[in-house]
């Protein structure tokens, strides 16, 4: 049987993007006892321990137990596929209550990037050039190569992309939470529009 576990980032200095005092949460599933799994992650004795060893994870099974029964579901699931479905439902509920939640033990790294676009994308409305703002778990150069090859590509970058504009995103921090990187992406897009760039993406 498989159980869903919930933990929070223990490191008080771990960067925050959302303006909230709510804990930054991690959710997963395991065939082991959830608290024992979290101990193993913190000790580095199980796969996927990188984030936990650096920043620590505190069990939050109390928070999981406090969720409505229709959200948290049964105590165990017959397989990992059903546990993952339940995780997504719990994550959606927690997101709706202002939490940020990661489903990869904190080991995904999200980065915002900016691509210069040719003016063939359309007439300029603002005085500066066209740019595309996006976010990725790959490196920005890898993501640009995907766009230009047509793999999971924005049509704007596929047809009109030139190169990365590192100057425009160099001060945007990487993050471990998808909700945080989406906020950073939208924030950068708004800032670039205010500065007179013609912006696509950034949503």
């Amino acid at each position: 049987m498989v159980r869903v576990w919930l933990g929070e980032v223990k490191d008080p200095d771990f960067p925050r993007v959302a303006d909230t005092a709510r804990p930054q949460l991690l959710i997963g599933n395991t065939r082991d006892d959830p608290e024992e799994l979290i101990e193993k992650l913190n000790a580095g004795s199980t796969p996927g321990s990188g984030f936990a060893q650096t920043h620590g994870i505190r069990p939050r099974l109390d928070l999981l137990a406090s969720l409505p029964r229709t959200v948290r579901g049964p105590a165990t699931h017959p397989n990992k596929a059903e546990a993952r479905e339940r995780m997504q439902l719990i994550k959606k509920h927690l997101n709706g209550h202002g939490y940020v939640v990661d489903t990869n033990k904190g080991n995904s790294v999200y980065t915002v990037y900016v691509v210069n676009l040719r003016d063939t994308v359309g007439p300029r409305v603002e005085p500066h050039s066209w740019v595309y703002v996006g976010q990725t778990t790959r490196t920005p150069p890898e993501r640009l190569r995907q766009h230009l090859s047509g793999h999971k590509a924005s049509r704007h970058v596929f047809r009109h992309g030139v190169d990365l504009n590192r100057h425009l995103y160099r001060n945007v921090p990487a993050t471990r939470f998808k909700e945080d990187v989406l906020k950073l992406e939208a924030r950068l897009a708004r800032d670039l529009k205010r500065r007179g760039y013609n912006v696509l993406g950034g949503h």
Side-chain angles (χ1 to χ4, degrees):
M1 301 300 284
V2 184
R3 296 180 66 184
V4 172
W5 60 267
L6 192 66
E8 70 175 80
V9 179
K10 188 185 293 186
D11 182 355
D13 297 320
F14 187 78
R16 289 181 177 273
V17 173
D19 184 19
T20 177
R22 293 188 184 278
Q24 297 156 302
L25 301 175
L26 307 138
I27 191 169
N29 65 77
T30 179
R31 297 187 187 278
D32 297 331
D33 176 81
E35 294 203 24
E36 289 179 7
L37 172 72
I38 292 172
E39 284 182 15
K40 290 178 183 177
L41 287 168
N42 288 331
S45 59
T46 194
S49 299
F51 178 87
Q53 283 186 277
T54 303
H55 302 288
I57 300 174
R58 180 181 296 112
R60 288 305 310 268
L61 303 180
D62 59 320
L63 178 56
L64 185 61
S66 74
L67 300 178
R69 178 71 170 77
T70 54
V71 174
R72 72 176 185 271
T76 61
H77 303 274
N79 54 59
K80 285 188 172 284
E82 289 193 21
R84 283 192 292 268
E85 286 181 14
R86 180 58 57 177
M87 284 166 50
Q88 292 302 323
L89 183 62
I90 294 168
K91 181 178 187 292
K92 182 178 180 181
H93 176 85
L94 290 167
N95 287 160
H97 286 77
Y99 291 94
V100 294
V101 186
D102 178 67
T103 58
N104 191 33
K105 304 183 184 78
N107 292 310
S108 296
V109 178
Y110 297 92
T111 306
V112 174
Y113 63 94
V114 179
V115 178
N116 291 315
L117 302 176
R118 299 181 187 88
D119 279 342
T120 50
V121 74
R124 292 189 187 186
V125 177
E126 304 295 339
H128 295 316
S129 61
W130 280 100
V131 294
Y132 174 89
V133 179
Q135 54 81 22
T136 183
T137 55
R138 296 180 177 274
T139 67
E142 287 173 336
R143 184 65 184 110
L144 177 60
R145 284 194 292 273
Q146 281 189 325
H147 279 299
L148 296 179
S149 70
H151 178 66
K152 296 182 179 178
S154 155
R155 70 181 188 279
H156 305 300
V157 181
F158 176 60
R159 295 173 183 166
H160 311 283
V162 180
D163 55 14
L164 292 168
N165 192 325
R166 292 177 174 84
H167 174 75
L168 295 182
Y169 67 87
R170 65 184 178 186
N171 294 323
V172 180
T175 183
R176 302 302 181 103
F177 292 91
K178 182 68 173 282
E179 295 87 2
D180 283 349
V181 78
L182 292 174
K183 288 183 175 70
L184 291 169
E185 179 190 23
R187 186 182 299 171
L188 179 60
R190 288 193 302 268
D191 179 59
L192 292 176
K193 286 177 183 176
R194 283 194 296 267
R195 290 162 58 184
Y197 286 89
N198 295 273
V199 179
L200 291 169
H203 45 270

